[in-house]
Amino acid sequence: MMEDDYNKVIIVEGLSDKKHLEKILDDNTITIVCTNGTIGVEKFEELLEYYHLDDTEVFILVDEDESGIKLRKQLAGELPHAEHIYVSSEFREVAATPKKMLASILAGKRIGIDLNCLAKW
């Protein structure tokens, strides 16, 4: 594993998104944070401090629906250094995106993928 594979955070909306990603990711390389929808200032400050989001490579991966777009806009304002990952509007939801497609998108962002799981699909 390369050094730049550490200290990465992916911010997702819900638990189903997190579980879907956990099946794809090399779990030693990244932390997945659930917001459970839009977040208030106090909750965001807690996440910022706990996960050191100002000093960490951050990715925003949310659904392509009204609530996801609202959350993306909120997070983009708070974390201007974050990279955005988009799922196809065909699937609209992170959890509904086929694993192979999501793995390809994540690999393109230099995020460690569990290659053993890819072989099973």
Side-chain angles (χ1 to χ4, degrees), residues 1 6 14 18 21 23 27-28 33 36 47 55-56 75 85 92 111 117-118:
M1 207 169 304
Y6 292 101
K18 180 177 180 175
L21 285 176
K23 296 173 185 171
D27 64 353
N28 296 320
V33 176
N36 298 312
L47 293 175
D55 304 316
T56 303
L75 292 172
I85 303 173
R92 290 183 46 106
I111 295 173
C117 286
L118 278 179

Side-chain angles (χ1 to χ4, degrees), residues 33-114:
V33 176
C34 292
T35 65
N36 298 312
T38 56
I39 52 177
V41 174
E42 189 174 307
K43 177 67 175 173
F44 178 78
E45 290 297 325
E46 288 175 19
L47 293 175
L48 187 68
E49 186 176 318
Y50 185 81
Y51 293 104
H52 307 283
L53 297 179
D54 282 334
D55 304 316
T56 303
E57 193 170 2
V58 178
F59 299 88
I60 299 170
L61 175 60
V62 295
D63 296 341
E64 290 300 314
D65 59 12
E66 187 177 331
S67 62
I69 292 167
K70 181 179 177 183
L71 178 60
R72 183 183 297 281
K73 191 177 282 189
Q74 177 188 9
L75 292 172
E78 299 288 346
L79 299 167
H81 70 286
E83 285 191 60
H84 295 265
I85 303 173
Y86 297 89
V87 295
S88 169
S89 58
E90 176 184 356
F91 302 106
R92 290 183 46 106
E93 297 178 359
V94 173
T97 302
K99 292 181 187 104
K100 279 188 176 183
M101 182 179 289
L102 195 53
S104 176
I105 293 167
L106 295 171
K109 293 288 188 174
R110 305 165 322 281
I111 295 173
I113 303 301
D114 183 349

